[in-house]
Amino acid sequence: YTTLFRSALDAALTADGPARAVISGPPGVGKTSLALSWLHRRSADFPDGQLYVDLQGHRTDRPVAPSTVLPRLLHALGVGPGQVPADLAEQTSLFRPLTAGRRLALLCDNAYSAAQVRVLAPVAQGSICLVTSRWRLTSLLLDGARMVPLEPLDTEAAVQLLARIAGRERIAADYGAARDLVDSCGRFPLAVCVGAALLTVRPGW
């Protein structure tokens, strides 16, 4: 399961120009975990750094505006507080050339819209803007983004995840109950991990 989606992200790096990828799916399906594990695995591809922003797209009434995020990114890239303009267009004019010669990875976590992401994406060849979202954000296809939709695990993969945390012998001793447990969790990785954590501290269950 993980290998399949990692391969899809690997393929995004083969694009001409800066790479774009959107990992979409419902809450708890493992979007951020997949993004972080892939970025850790490919860290050598981004020698100029990895940046992270939480765009808080789950707060649909107040998602974070690019004008709030860009100053943080500019500070992370070495721009002093007094040198960051207040206007979004001027921030963008400063950010684009600053990233033009750098192979960076930017993780835009919990994005609500394509508009949130577009002005934040690094522009250099070999860089990537990796987006996680509850929505598909298909308009980013116009920017050359690769879409990576996630769904809940199948039952066998969910049981394997449960066993990795709660113990394989324990799960093998009552495989039917393990299947019932992961099904009751909807086979969402986050819910399965929470269930497994509860099992590890309650050996009598």
Side-chain angles (χ1 to χ4, degrees), residues 153 155-172 174-183 185 188-189 191-200:
L153 301 168
T155 299
E156 182 59 33
V159 170
Q160 290 178 12
L161 176 60
L162 184 73
R164 193 160 69 231
I165 300 171
R168 299 189 184 282
E169 291 184 2
R170 187 173 183 185
I171 299 307
D174 198 344
Y175 187 77
R179 288 177 61 94
D180 290 343
L181 174 57
V182 298
D183 285 340
C185 294
F188 282 86
V192 172
C193 287
V194 171
L198 291 172
L199 287 177
T200 61

Side-chain angles (χ1 to χ4, degrees), residues 111-151:
Y112 176 65
S113 68
Q116 267 187 310
V117 172
R118 280 197 171 99
V119 298
L120 307 177
V123 297
Q125 173 75 35
S127 62
I128 189 170
C129 180
L130 186 54
V131 183
T132 71
S133 180
R134 298 180 182 185
W135 295 270
R136 297 252 175 170
L137 306 186
T138 51
S139 62
L140 287 176
L141 286 168
L142 300 173
D143 300 55
R146 182 173 291 268
M147 298 292 153
V148 184
L150 294 191
E151 297 179 355

Side-chain angles (χ1 to χ4, degrees), residues 4-6 8-9 21-25 34 130 146-150:
L4 174 65
F5 291 113
R6 281 178 176 171
L9 294 173
V22 180
I23 304 173
S24 62
L34 173 62
L130 186 54
R146 182 173 291 268
M147 298 292 153
V148 184
L150 294 191

Side-chain angles (χ1 to χ4, degrees), residues 4-5 12 14 38 44-45 64 68 70 74 87 93 106 123 131 143 163 170 204:
L4 174 65
F5 291 113
T14 65
W38 183 82
D45 293 302
V64 178
T68 300
L70 269 176
L74 289 168
D87 180 73
S93 296
L106 171 64
V123 297
V131 183
D143 300 55
R170 187 173 183 185

Side-chain angles (χ1 to χ4, degrees), residues 16-140:
D16 293 332
R20 308 281 184 264
V22 180
I23 304 173
S24 62
V29 79
K31 300 181 296 294
T32 302
S33 294
L34 173 62
L36 291 174
S37 66
W38 183 82
L39 286 170
H40 178 73
R41 177 172 160 266
R42 299 300 299 255
S43 60
D45 293 302
F46 310 109
D48 297 310
Q50 297 188 22
L51 303 171
Y52 172 88
V53 292
D54 183 359
L55 296 177
Q56 299 183 24
H58 57 284
R59 300 172 58 185
T60 55
D61 57 331
R62 286 184 298 171
V64 178
S67 58
T68 300
V69 176
L70 269 176
R72 301 173 189 169
L73 296 179
L74 289 168
H75 294 331
L77 294 170
V79 179
Q83 299 174 296
V84 177
D87 180 73
L88 176 60
E90 294 180 3
Q91 292 171 0
T92 304
S93 296
L94 181 59
F95 180 72
R96 290 288 173 89
L98 194 60
T99 62
R102 306 190 190 194
R103 290 171 58 191
L104 295 165
L106 171 64
L107 173 54
C108 292
D109 206 12
N110 298 313
Y112 176 65
S113 68
Q116 267 187 310
V117 172
R118 280 197 171 99
V119 298
L120 307 177
V123 297
Q125 173 75 35
S127 62
I128 189 170
C129 180
L130 186 54
V131 183
T132 71
S133 180
R134 298 180 182 185
W135 295 270
R136 297 252 175 170
L137 306 186
T138 51
S139 62
L140 287 176

